[in-house]
Amino acid sequence: LIDKITNGSSIEINATGTQLRFRPGVLIGGSYHHDCPVEQPENEDEEEDEDEKERGEGSSFTLPRTRGIGWYIEGILPLAPFGKAPLQLTMTGITDGTCTLDPSPDYIRATLLPLLGRFGILHDGGTSPAIDNTNTTSNANNGGAMLSIPTRGAHPTGGGTVHFHCPMVRQYLTPIDLTDTGKVKRVRGIASSCRIPPSSVARAAHAAKGVLHRLLPDVWIATDARSSRRKASGQRRVAGGGESLENGTGTGTGTGNSAMVGCGISPSLSLVLVAESTSGIILAAETCLDPNHRKRKRRNHGGDGDIDTTTTATTGRQKNSSPSFTSKALLPEDLGKEAAARLLHEIQKGGCVDSSAQSLALLLMCLCPEDVSRIRTGILTMYTVESLRLFRQAFGVEFKVRAEENRTGHAIGNGNGTSSGTVLLSCLGIGYRNMARAST
């Protein structure tokens, strides 16, 4: 993928496959199509035996052989705005079922695109396009990024399609000062599924809404139930009434979009929840069914049609997951409650970005002009700490890190003897500009 969107790049791998030498070229932008690797349908017994060999004894987690489309988009997101021309990318592969490792396209659209907009990249300000204006046509009218999911495909066989468009940075990024978290004023979400009865999607959305309604009334969750048939079933139906997360119609009884098609052959159930504060801060959390449990379920019950959702679920990505959020959900209602608990945990941290978006925000702060940028986060994840070390090595940028207490004047214990206060990070950017853009 990097080789496609650049000109003059050189990638060399030695004979043993243990060393890789990469010489970057010039980011040129343009329109591209990329097929992400997926697993081909095989005999379920053979797949189970191979998984057991790879996992080994004493291991509770197995890395998938393939990665979701969100993993590729997350990787090129800091590069896409610095090309000669806007980037238009069509990707096929896995869109759902890998949230334990990779961000889903729904999560990227809900949080990362608005975050990039803070740096003057994707949209021209205003309310978050992920919550009020996720319709791709409206995003295009605002001159911002577009990310649409015409076809969903679950782990491991994929079959999904994502259209991504990113405009280029004219010259420099915009320094940020994100220190005011504000108060949460509303929650939006989308519950999506592939080859699972639409009633299960509604049950997960209703359970999440029931937890969140105890704290605030403005909670709307859209449902997007896809089947293996050509058209999607039950799309754009909102749990709780009100506007739809996808089309923003405000009717609460969406009739579906004829542009959307079905899904791949693998089943999945995912839920993404987004909270917006009075100061425009966006925090998100997502959950999904455990993709490794699908094989055991189908092996026990057989059949290749729509399967039951009485299975396990995982929440949060492995790089940022907390031990308190690794419990297994047995029903769609449990999945919804886990998603709501995950979102409330992100809100309780008190940052201006959620855990999975910390490293991207800090990276863009390094590329800002030679001015001070500040951001308030929750407890830094290990992934973010490693990123800070890489930023110092690559850019020579050192962050000033100051741990702060919460608004009540004292740190809140989270049960394991550590503080849950916020962290204020500031740095001086290196003044990186878009050198690939043609001079005018």
Side-chain angles (χ1 to χ4, degrees), residues 130-145:
I131 296 180
D132 277 340
N133 201 16
T134 46
N135 186 281
T136 56
T137 303
S138 300
N139 284 341
N141 294 336
N142 286 340

Side-chain angles (χ1 to χ4, degrees), residues 104-376:
S104 66
D106 293 305
Y107 172 84
I108 293 176
R109 179 171 53 186
T111 58
L112 299 188
L113 298 189
L115 175 62
L116 292 175
R118 296 277 187 174
F119 292 89
I121 297 176
L122 298 183
H123 63 82
D124 54 359
T127 57
S128 165
I131 296 180
D132 277 340
N133 201 16
T134 46
N135 186 281
T136 56
T137 303
S138 300
N139 284 341
N141 294 336
N142 286 340
M146 297 189 301
L147 196 155
S148 60
I149 314 172
T151 308
R152 293 187 180 273
H155 177 84
T157 57
T161 305
V162 172
H163 299 306
F164 175 67
H165 168 79
C166 180
M168 62 181 179
V169 173
R170 296 298 178 182
Q171 194 170 15
Y172 295 101
L173 298 178
T174 303
I176 63 170
D177 188 11
L178 293 180
T179 57
D180 182 15
T181 57
K183 299 288 187 179
V184 176
K185 64 179 182 180
R186 59 179 177 177
V187 174
R188 298 291 182 267
I190 178 169
S192 58
S193 69
C194 295
R195 297 187 66 192
I196 283 180
S199 60
S200 298
V201 187
R203 288 162 58 189
H206 183 76
K209 185 177 60 129
V211 174
L212 297 172
H213 267 170
R214 302 175 185 176
L215 305 175
L216 74 166
D218 195 355
V219 179
W220 286 323
I221 302 177
T223 60
D224 183 7
R226 307 287 182 93
S227 67
S228 57
R229 295 181 292 274
R230 182 67 180 174
K231 294 293 182 65
S233 60
Q235 288 185 36
R236 309 298 184 269
R237 186 166 54 85
V238 182
E243 63 183 303
S244 170
L245 179 73
E246 286 290 322
N247 55 25
T249 58
T251 60
T253 57
T255 57
N257 190 338
S258 59
M260 298 296 180
V261 295
C263 63
I265 63 175
S266 299
S268 70
L269 177 61
S270 305
L271 182 59
V272 179
L273 298 178
V274 184
E276 183 180 6
S277 71
T278 54
S279 58
I281 299 301
I282 295 175
L283 303 174
E286 61 176 335
T287 60
C288 62
L289 291 181
D290 181 7
N292 294 327
H293 191 79
R294 178 191 65 87
K295 300 173 182 178
R296 296 190 295 270
K297 187 68 178 179
R298 292 188 61 183
R299 185 178 182 182
N300 294 336
H301 296 275
D304 54 0
D306 292 348
I307 68 169
D308 185 26
T309 56
T310 307
T311 181
T312 58
T314 52
T315 64
R317 275 184 284 291
Q318 185 74 8
K319 64 182 181 183
N320 298 319
S321 61
S322 171
S324 61
F325 287 96
T326 57
S327 60
K328 301 296 184 180
L330 301 177
L331 297 170
E333 289 81 2
D334 298 326
L335 184 70
K337 293 177 182 178
E338 289 284 357
R342 180 72 180 178
L343 179 63
L344 295 177
H345 182 62
E346 291 290 346
I347 296 173
Q348 187 268 338
K349 292 179 180 179
C352 294
V353 292
D354 55 64
S355 301
S356 299
Q358 289 178 359
S359 59
L360 176 62
L362 299 179
L363 171 58
L364 295 176
M365 288 172 61
C366 294
L367 302 178
C368 282
E370 296 181 4
D371 196 358
V372 177
S373 296
R374 300 193 305 165
I375 189 171
R376 186 184 305 277

Side-chain angles (χ1 to χ4, degrees), residues 48-67:
E48 185 72 17
D49 294 339
E50 292 177 1
D51 287 345
E52 292 177 355
K53 293 179 181 179
E54 293 179 2
R55 181 168 58 249
E57 296 181 359
S59 176
S60 59
F61 182 79
T62 304
L63 287 175
R65 306 171 192 170
T66 57
R67 305 301 291 264

